[in-house]
Amino acid sequence: MSNIEPTRETTHDDTIERTSIVMYAMLEQLHGALADPAAPDDVSLGMLMGMSMFLDEKIGPFRTERLMASAPSIILKTDAHVVKDQIDRVTPVLRAFGEQLASLSRRPAPAA
């Protein structure tokens, strides 16, 4: 264990990494719960649209634009994938969430 105190930059990077891991796992579960084999890109586009609306509402369009402009450098600066050990920590809760969403979105079978 290191005796070095975390710097503001280290803490900032850790927050970004933790948040991105949870977001990735959550989006995986959400995509699986809502996926429509007849229109596979519709769920991805809906997720992008929802994230854009969320950011616009929470931080405003100007800050969203600035953050989106920074996103490529953040992704390229860090290891831009989630490893199995990281995702395994959050998957059980998010899988239950995804299963609940899937049960709500299932269409009843047509009457014969």
Side-chain angles (χ1 to χ4, degrees):
M1 184 160 171
S2 173
N3 291 332
I4 301 172
E5 284 191 39
T7 63
R8 182 177 180 339
E9 183 175 317
T10 302
T11 303
H12 176 72
D13 288 347
D14 290 346
T15 300
I16 292 171
E17 182 176 345
R18 278 193 322 272
T19 304
S20 64
I21 291 166
V22 171
M23 263 313 274
Y24 177 87
M26 185 174 67
L27 292 172
E28 282 238 326
Q29 293 300 317
L30 185 61
H31 194 277
L34 300 175
D36 180 358
D41 289 342
D42 287 357
V43 171
S44 297
L45 290 172
M47 290 166 69
L48 284 169
M49 186 180 200
M51 188 168 35
S52 296
M53 290 186 299
F54 173 82
L55 291 172
D56 278 350
E57 182 180 306
K58 294 295 178 191
I59 64 175
F62 298 112
R63 281 183 55 212
T64 298
E65 185 177 339
R66 183 179 60 85
L67 289 173
M68 294 304 279
S70 297
S73 65
I74 290 170
I75 292 168
L76 294 175
K77 182 176 93 174
T78 60
D79 197 6
H81 69 277
V82 177
V83 296
K84 184 174 177 2
D85 291 346
Q86 294 170 320
I87 203 167
D88 284 349
R89 294 180 68 195
V90 296
T91 297
V93 171
L94 295 174
R95 181 172 292 131
F97 174 65
E99 289 169 359
Q100 181 66 25
L101 286 175
S103 72
L104 295 174
S105 66
R106 288 191 189 107
R107 294 181 190 109

